[in-house]
Amino acid sequence: MNGDGEIVFVGRADDQVKIRGNRIEPGEVEAHLRAVPGVVEAAVVVFADPDGQPGGLIGYVTGEVTEHAVADQVRRTLPETMVPSRVVVLDAIPLSPNGKIDRRALPEPRALGGRGEPSARDVEHSDAEPATALEEMLCLVWGRELGADRVRPHDNFFSLGGNSLLASRIIMRLREAFADTGISLRVVVNTKDVSAMAEALRGAEPHPGTLEQIAQIYLEVEQMAEAEVDQILS
């Protein structure tokens, strides 16, 4: 993705690429996507990070499936480093005049929603708002690191474009905020949404209520003008 937020594809899908130190064959990822029940066709592209280096994978599939279902399935069969940062369901995979996949014609995933019937859980929680100050704080932190305008408590981390690098950055931000609480942030490593992360943090809290207090202060500071913050700190 370049500085304008546009996805830049790098390399061919059948070549081995190195993404954040891991050698990956996108063709192998395509094979796992096609093996998901309900998937008819699949294509994988490698996108560039702001520095022009391979930043991650995007998977495109066709069939009567949903993004979440496909992503969850391949996560069971592939190591996390090979799981696409985003899965997009299309009506058809674009082809070139010679019948090969036209990867440059594949749409930008952030401009699309999923297709197919969402799960009952997705419908129930699709418009849920943060229920606590901690959830609201985590939504803000996720949004900043993921480049998302809005994050809701049950939005899936990987569907928002998350990857291992962004997960590390989120944990670093939380470590800064919760430095003196005695919480081990290992509890949040496998959480897939803000709601689950907040629950894991509360479950590991040595002194119940501390995180809510910190989150409330964090949100209050967020509402302040820069001059007000400087005055308090001076």
Side-chain angles (χ1 to χ4, degrees), residues 9 33 41-45 58-62 88 90 93 106-109:
F9 300 133
L33 288 172
E41 294 291 341
V44 171
V45 296
I58 301 173
Y60 295 85
V61 299
T62 64
V88 178
L90 301 176
I93 300 291
L106 289 166
E108 180 180 340

Side-chain angles (χ1 to χ4, degrees), residues 91-157:
D91 291 323
I93 300 291
L95 300 177
S96 64
N98 60 9
K100 294 185 178 181
I101 295 174
D102 186 353
R103 300 183 192 279
R104 295 190 178 277
L106 289 166
E108 180 180 340
R110 287 191 182 278
L112 299 172
R115 191 174 65 78
E117 291 298 319
S119 68
R121 182 180 183 278
D122 290 340
V123 172
E124 179 184 356
H125 296 300
S126 60
D127 292 318
E129 297 294 333
T132 65
L134 180 58
E135 283 192 359
E136 187 174 352
M137 172 190 170
L138 292 176
C139 284
L140 286 175
V141 172
W142 278 40
R144 282 180 180 154
E145 295 304 328
L146 294 169
D149 293 333
R150 181 188 180 197
V151 174
R152 293 163 297 192
H154 296 279
D155 286 344
N156 184 279
F157 175 73

Side-chain angles (χ1 to χ4, degrees), residues 43-93:
V44 171
V45 296
V46 183
F47 66 88
D49 63 19
D51 296 324
Q53 299 301 312
L57 304 174
I58 301 173
Y60 295 85
V61 299
T62 64
E64 292 302 315
V65 292
T66 64
E67 295 178 8
H68 290 306
V70 174
D72 287 344
Q73 184 66 35
V74 295
R75 198 164 285 117
R76 297 173 188 170
T77 60
L78 286 172
E80 194 61 50
T81 54
M82 295 179 67
V83 175
S85 297
R86 175 76 189 270
V87 174
V88 178
V89 181
L90 301 176
D91 291 323
I93 300 291

Side-chain angles (χ1 to χ4, degrees), residues 200-218:
L201 286 169
R202 283 192 293 267
E205 197 173 11
H207 306 290
T210 301
L211 294 185
E212 276 298 310
Q213 293 175 5
I214 293 174
Q216 189 60 55
I217 293 171
Y218 182 96

Side-chain angles (χ1 to χ4, degrees), residues 15-26 46 53-56:
D15 287 338
Q16 188 179 80
V17 294
K18 194 171 185 179
I19 301 176
R20 293 183 294 277
N22 300 291
R23 294 194 178 279
I24 296 171
E25 293 186 11
V46 183
Q53 299 301 312

Side-chain angles (χ1 to χ4, degrees), residues 152-174:
R152 293 163 297 192
H154 296 279
D155 286 344
N156 184 279
F157 175 73
F158 296 99
S159 293
L160 290 169
N163 53 45
S164 57
L165 176 62
L166 292 172
S168 298
R169 288 169 56 174
I170 287 173
I171 289 176
M172 182 175 68
R173 296 287 175 262
L174 297 183

